[in-house]
Amino acid sequence: MLTQTHIDTVKATIPLLASGGTAITEHFYARMFLHNPELKNIFNMTHQKTGRQPAALFNAIAAYAANIDQLELLTDAVMRIAHKHTSFNIQPEQYAIVGHHLIETLRELAPDAFTPDVEEAWTAAYGQLADIFIKVESELYQQRAAVKGGWSGFRAFSVVSKETESELVTSFTLMPVDGGSVIDYKPGQYLGIKVHPHGSEHDEIRQYSLSTAANGKSYRISVKREGLGEMCGVMSNYLHLKINVGDEVLVMPPAGDFYLKQLDTPVILISAGVGLTPMQAMLDSLVKENFAHPVTYLHACKNRNQHSFKGHVESVKNTLNLQSHTWYENDVSSGQNETIGRMKIEDVKGSLPLKEGEFYLCGPLQFMLAIKHELLALGVSQSRINYELFGPHQEV
């Protein structure tokens, strides 16, 4: 049980964490994968190479240590991480493995400072955090298994359609192999997809946003083919090049805390690159519910060849009170409601419902940081700015 003495001790070690930085989490992951290589079947190893996962873990540990006596401040972060964990099918016993390697990492990197009292405090602190996640994730698993079309664990789905949306993005429509129905989802949520690529040493699990409205029968994800070489998207390239109609993948139920709110207010969807995928589900859902308020769709991409769903967005203008604007970074000429260059809210601020609209952002981190800064400067309250970041979580 976590005591006040434990709390005081953990908070006193924050300078130690800060001085160690991401070297702590890098050592932790190296240690864990050495002793428990089976966990490579869960973690995105590309994010290990790029440093994104160690950085995200370090920030999470530092935030927990700093707020260990006021955990209510971490509620949103806990829910976001718990949703992501359920898309990997994380189980309670895996928390014990992580906890063991975390304590051993601290012991190995700071043997002089890691006294028995510090070890006891951090063991209790980690135990409390693990219990929180195990409880929240258990509730999420149970909720999804109990509703119509729901299930627990990975479920086999067949690819029934594969469609090219642009130069880099392909959509995959998936239906359950068992012929049953599927759980509905909130527009903006994602699926955990697991495959074992030919020649790979381990399974690959990734999360992909659902890109159309729920229908109770099938799911559609839209995947960008990422990069080449050592840092290429192992999973995205495998899906694009190797997965075809009739092939099977394993799927976890929909998850995610980024979704369209049921509010009686204008909606503004702002995306860059493949960040437009959850926006398609939001648009389709607004069409289904005959949404009467203004909808603004703002999108940025490299060029017209990489502009996915352009025709679809134009088609829903017949149903929604929708205005759109697109920024092409590299194209040479612009058309109606188009701008050459990077997105600037300043270009369209006069047409935006800045005081009452609900804003949804999805795209690369630096893009969202810039757009959020612009929105705040224009008077949009932070509570009305919702965002989704693909990959390990970072605050925007």
Side-chain angles (χ1 to χ4, degrees):
M1 179 179 177
L2 192 68
T3 67
Q4 187 60 49
T5 299
H6 293 150
I7 291 173
D8 294 341
T9 302
V10 167
K11 291 178 78 70
T13 61
I14 291 176
L16 176 63
L17 288 176
S19 66
T22 57
I24 295 174
T25 47
E26 290 169 359
H27 183 93
F28 159 79
Y29 278 117
R31 189 184 203 285
M32 184 172 69
F33 292 139
L34 175 64
H35 294 279
N36 292 93
E38 72 276 8
L39 294 182
K40 292 182 179 181
N41 289 307
I42 297 175
F43 286 87
N44 183 333
M45 301 309 293
T46 300
H47 287 160
Q48 298 295 323
K49 295 176 183 177
T50 63
R52 292 183 68 189
Q53 189 65 55
L57 178 61
F58 174 78
N59 291 334
I61 292 173
Y64 175 58
N67 295 284
I68 193 170
D69 52 352
Q70 44 185 353
L71 294 179
E72 65 277 4
L73 298 179
L74 301 178
T75 299
D76 290 346
V78 167
M79 288 306 301
R80 183 174 294 115
I81 294 170
H83 272 275
K84 182 63 70 70
H85 283 179
T86 61
S87 71
F88 287 101
N89 197 30
I90 297 297
Q91 296 298 312
E93 57 269 21
Q94 290 163 335
Y95 280 96
I97 296 174
V98 169
H100 168 72
H101 292 295
L102 177 62
I103 296 302
E104 291 305 311
T105 292
L106 294 175
R107 188 198 315 280
E108 291 166 2
L109 293 188
D112 295 333
F114 201 63
T115 65
D117 288 345
V118 172
E119 178 177 351
E120 179 184 315
W122 269 97
T123 300
Y126 175 80
Q128 173 183 263
L129 184 62
D131 287 344
I132 291 171
F133 276 113
I134 289 169
K135 181 177 184 296
V136 172
E137 290 160 18
S138 175
E139 291 172 352
L140 290 173
Y141 287 134
Q142 291 174 23
Q143 291 168 7
R144 296 168 191 164
V147 300
K148 180 181 178 182
W151 72 94
S152 60
F154 283 98
R155 183 180 181 187
F157 277 67
S158 177
V159 177
V160 298
S161 174
K162 181 179 180 181
E163 298 182 17
T164 300
E165 305 292 357
S166 67
E167 184 177 68
L168 296 178
V169 174
T170 295
S171 289
F172 300 82
T173 301
L174 312 172
M175 295 189 71
V177 172
D178 60 26
S181 60
V182 297
I183 185 175
D184 280 344
Y185 53 89
K186 297 175 180 178
Q189 291 188 305
Y190 51 78
L191 292 180
I193 307 290
K194 180 165 78 169
V195 301
H196 191 101
H198 302 310
S200 176
E201 295 181 12
H202 43 75
D203 296 337
E204 300 287 350
I205 304 175
R206 300 291 188 274
Q207 292 72 35
Y208 295 110
S209 295
L210 290 145
S211 60
T212 190
N215 61 29
K217 298 178 180 179
S218 64
Y219 294 133
R220 187 183 74 178
I221 58 172
S222 300
V223 180
K224 176 187 176 184
R225 185 181 176 190
E226 296 284 359
L228 297 171
E230 184 181 359
M231 296 303 178
C232 75
V234 173
M235 179 75 148
S236 66
N237 277 271
Y238 183 73
L239 291 175
H240 273 250
L241 301 177
K242 302 297 183 181
I243 293 293
N244 294 301
V245 172
D247 292 336
E248 294 183 12
V249 296
L250 296 176
V251 178
M252 288 296 292
D257 67 338
F258 172 75
Y259 50 80
L260 189 67
K261 298 177 181 177
Q262 297 297 310
L263 297 175
D264 200 26
T265 186
V267 169
I268 304 90
L269 308 177
I270 305 176
S271 59
V274 76
L276 53 60
T277 51
M279 307 310 183
Q280 307 313 305
M282 293 183 182
L283 281 177
D284 288 352
S285 297
L286 292 171
V287 169
K288 285 182 66 175
E289 65 182 67
N290 296 314
F291 190 72
H293 292 278
V295 179
T296 305
Y297 182 90
L298 308 179
H299 180 61
C301 58
K302 292 289 185 182
N303 52 55
R304 286 175 173 79
N305 291 335
Q306 294 185 20
H307 189 175
S308 305
F309 301 108
K310 181 178 181 180
H312 176 65
V313 173
E314 290 297 319
S315 72
V316 301
K317 288 182 178 180
N318 298 325
T319 306
L320 293 175
N321 178 11
L322 173 70
Q323 62 174 336
S324 65
H325 198 96
T326 306
W327 286 258
Y328 295 117
E329 185 174 345
N330 295 333
D331 261 312
V332 295
S333 63
S334 60
Q336 185 178 11
N337 299 322
E338 295 177 352
T339 299
I340 302 303
R342 295 192 173 187
M343 182 186 293
K344 294 181 180 179
I345 299 299
E346 180 74 21
D347 296 340
V348 294
K349 69 177 183 180
S351 62
L352 296 180
L354 298 171
K355 299 302 181 184
E356 70 276 13
E358 194 74 16
F359 292 76
Y360 298 86
L361 281 59
C362 189
L365 176 61
Q366 293 305 315
F367 165 81
M368 291 197 293
L369 285 170
I371 297 302
K372 181 179 178 181
H373 177 77
E374 277 198 83
L375 293 175
L376 292 174
L378 289 170
V380 178
S381 67
Q382 185 156 318
S383 63
R384 291 188 287 112
I385 302 175
N386 311 275
Y387 70 93
E388 175 79 314
L389 176 66
F390 297 154
H393 180 71
Q394 291 175 261
E395 292 297 332
V396 171

